Amino acid sequence: MSKQHLTKLQVSDRFFTPEVIGRNGMTVYDCLAEFTANSFDWCITKKNPDEKTIIQILLNPNSIEIVDNGVGMNLKELASAINIAESSDLIRNKISEFEDRKGMYGMGMKVSALSLGWKFTITTISVENPNCELVFEFDSNKLVNEDGYSRDTLVTEEFEKRKDSPLTEFNSGTHIKIENLVKRLPDINAVQEELRVRFSPDINQLLENNLLDFSVSDSYGSKNTIGKFNVTYQFEDEVLKLDFENPHQWAMEKSYKYTGSNGKQFQLRGYLQLLKQRSFQGNFGLNLYCKGQLIERYHKKSDGLLSTAGRGAEKTYGELHLDGLNPDYVKSKGFIEDGAFKE
């Protein structure tokens, strides 16, 4: 038997379909990155430093599953996560400060799910109560296919942890299943490489301490483990590497700090390196990160951070961590070019 909990919907349900909210330009990679960001933000290793973080992504012909062994959500946190009018920034603060977070366990998760398919189900077990399993199911097909159907209340079911739970192997965590897909899925090799690059700081750090098991698999039995992203493997002809946190003698400035979009001071992190040969494939420029997540790959604009004027730009590769700036809401589209970015 289950217990039902009701959450009042704050906006019209007519927005809750892939045909409306899903038309935002997010790719499959963008959506999977949002789920992955949430998994890293609330990973179990942050609470228990010796416990390994597990993230699994399963790509089926007409469904996607994302499961992690993170801290999970209690009823209040889940209610905020499923209500389309809310972002849960002020609720989910029990592990990391807001400024350290990549994902939003609110708008990002809901928009990503409805960008991928018509139906999604969230199953979660909070580390605070490992015997309590919460399940929320939302099928947007009903909003357009059933005459007069309207949803103004969301229903979450509470169970004592079930034997057939998708989280049966974990003490806590979150499982998300998206069904009736509207986007064609790439193969697991492409997903593996994309997520490996997008989250290389977190992946590399956890793997160095043997604290990560991150995999992508499909229904045909193939499984790829996501490993470290090694820049020197890509560019073995590295000649010059400049570290902004330790400028030493090479720089005119003693320190590289900037005022972020929130008015606070931030240290510019990352490096530049000069390649022996020009890259004719376009694999040069600046990889721009925010809070450990790749926002823009190979940034190079005539009026941007790296000018493309002259052949020298084609021999330049860099990685900049701009934690004080605001990414576009579809994070792979770059940063909002406000005053802080231009500075």
Side-chain angles (χ1 to χ4, degrees):
M1 296 294 292
S2 67
K3 182 192 301 184
Q4 290 191 339
H5 302 274
L6 306 181
T7 302
K8 188 70 175 178
L9 200 60
Q10 301 298 319
V11 296
S12 171
D13 60 14
R14 63 190 176 90
F15 297 105
F16 285 20
T17 72
E19 293 179 341
V20 182
I21 200 172
R23 291 191 173 185
N24 51 45
M26 294 181 74
T27 66
V28 173
Y29 299 121
D30 296 332
C31 297
L32 290 177
E34 189 62 34
F35 294 123
T36 302
N38 286 332
S39 292
F40 277 123
D41 280 342
W42 308 111
C43 70
I44 196 64
T45 310
K46 289 185 177 180
K47 183 174 181 63
N48 303 321
D50 295 329
E51 189 168 348
K52 180 178 289 189
T53 290
I54 300 174
I55 304 173
Q56 300 169 346
I57 298 175
L58 175 61
L59 305 181
N60 294 306
N62 199 31
S63 69
I64 298 173
E65 296 178 62
I66 305 98
V67 61
D68 64 55
N69 69 332
V71 299
M73 290 178 277
N74 59 33
L75 184 61
K76 184 178 181 181
E77 292 161 350
L78 180 60
S80 175
I82 63 180
N83 203 324
I84 200 71
E86 296 181 12
S87 175
S88 49
D89 301 335
L90 299 180
I91 295 177
R92 294 184 58 83
N93 59 1
K94 60 191 176 190
I95 290 185
S96 58
E97 295 295 330
F98 169 72
E99 292 177 353
D100 295 328
R101 290 174 47 192
K102 291 181 282 294
M104 301 291 181
Y105 235 121
M107 294 301 293
M109 184 177 66
K110 291 168 289 202
V111 172
S112 296
L114 290 173
S115 297
L116 290 172
W118 285 87
K119 177 182 177 181
F120 67 92
T121 305
I122 302 171
T123 304
T124 188
I125 298 174
S126 172
V127 70
E128 300 168 354
N129 189 356
N131 292 318
C132 175
E133 180 177 357
L134 301 175
V135 180
F136 171 75
E137 179 183 293
F138 188 89
D139 188 352
S140 62
N141 273 299
K142 296 180 179 179
L143 301 179
V144 295
N145 294 331
E146 295 187 13
D147 292 338
Y149 181 86
S150 179
R151 183 195 295 260
D152 59 4
T153 302
L154 305 176
V155 179
T156 298
E157 290 191 279
E158 177 185 333
F159 300 88
E160 185 174 349
K161 188 176 180 181
R162 301 168 297 173
K163 292 183 179 179
D164 60 347
S165 167
L167 296 169
T168 185
E169 297 180 3
F170 305 139
N171 293 323
S172 63
T174 299
H175 175 275
I176 301 173
K177 184 174 184 178
I178 303 106
E179 302 175 83
N180 301 332
L181 303 182
V182 297
K183 296 184 186 295
R184 184 175 180 178
L185 299 182
D187 63 38
I188 63 173
N189 296 319
V191 172
Q192 173 196 23
E193 182 62 19
E194 188 71 22
L195 295 180
R196 187 172 72 102
V197 176
R198 289 200 187 201
F199 296 97
S200 60
D202 280 353
I203 290 172
N204 291 351
Q205 181 181 6
L206 287 168
L207 284 177
E208 285 174 2
N209 296 288
N210 194 29
L211 289 172
L212 180 65
D213 182 354
F214 188 6
S215 63
V216 183
S217 57
D218 60 27
S219 57
Y220 303 104
S222 299
K223 180 178 179 179
N224 288 359
T225 299
I226 298 180
K228 294 177 65 176
F229 176 72
N230 193 334
V231 173
T232 57
Y233 174 78
Q234 281 195 313
F235 302 107
E236 294 180 353
D237 57 350
E238 174 185 340
V239 175
L240 179 65
K241 191 168 184 177
L242 307 181
D243 183 352
F244 291 101
E245 293 179 89
N246 301 287
H248 299 301
Q249 300 297 320
W250 63 265
M252 295 177 62
E253 308 254 357
K254 291 184 178 180
S255 65
Y256 282 79
K257 295 185 178 181
Y258 62 96
T259 302
S261 301
N262 59 4
K264 297 182 180 180
Q265 287 290 110
F266 289 85
Q267 168 69 47
L268 180 63
R269 296 187 297 113
Y271 60 86
L272 294 175
Q273 67 184 44
L274 186 64
L275 311 179
K276 289 181 180 179
Q277 298 180 358
R278 296 164 58 196
S279 172
F280 294 98
Q281 290 76 37
N283 297 332
F284 66 92
L286 306 176
N287 280 355
L288 306 182
Y289 288 81
C290 184
K291 303 178 180 68
Q293 181 175 353
L294 181 67
I295 304 301
E296 184 177 356
R297 185 175 300 176
Y298 299 135
H299 170 95
K300 42 184 176 286
K301 299 178 182 178
S302 58
D303 60 345
L305 301 180
L306 176 67
S307 173
T308 54
R311 294 184 176 181
E314 297 176 14
K315 297 172 65 176
T316 303
Y317 176 82
E319 183 176 293
L320 299 184
H321 294 257
L322 306 175
D323 295 345
L325 304 182
N326 293 322
D328 183 82
Y329 78 98
V330 179
K331 295 174 186 173
S332 63
K333 304 301 181 184
F335 284 87
I336 297 173
E337 297 192 7
D338 56 12
F341 181 87
K342 294 175 181 178
E343 178 199 351

